[in-house]
Amino acid sequence: NRLKKDMLFLGPAAFCNHVCRSNTALKCINKKLTGVVTTRQIDVGEEITVFYDRHYFENNNTLCNCITCFDIRSEFFAFCIL
């Protein structure tokens, strides 16, 4: 929530999808420029992902359907059924 304003990403950053356990992070370079930096090694062919915000999909991302959250919910429900 940089400067508490909406942001528009152009160029390659516009194609970074949200995942709660992403492989990149947004980094503020100056007042007008934000970059994308890696947080771990990215394998060849792996999608470049970024964590948008803790409340991007409602409070605490309760409506998030990223692969991380989907897997966690699947494991939780599988455990509850057993």
Side-chain angles (χ1 to χ4, degrees), residues 20-59:
C20 287
R21 292 185 188 148
S22 63
N23 52 23
T24 66
L26 299 175
K27 181 178 180 180
C28 179
I29 297 170
N30 60 42
K31 288 184 178 183
K32 295 185 178 183
L33 187 63
T34 299
V36 178
V37 296
T38 60
T39 56
R40 63 173 176 79
Q41 182 171 338
I42 301 173
D43 295 329
V44 173
E46 182 180 357
E47 179 181 11
I48 296 174
T49 58
V50 68
F51 179 72
Y52 289 168
D53 185 64
R54 197 176 77 183
H55 301 297
Y56 189 81
F57 301 99
E58 295 297 325
N59 290 333

Side-chain angles (χ1 to χ4, degrees), residues 66-82:
C66 77
I67 191 67
T68 302
C69 293
F70 182 80
D71 287 347
I72 289 170
R73 279 194 299 273
S74 295
E75 291 171 11
F76 173 77
F77 290 125
F79 177 75
C80 291
I81 293 171
L82 296 175

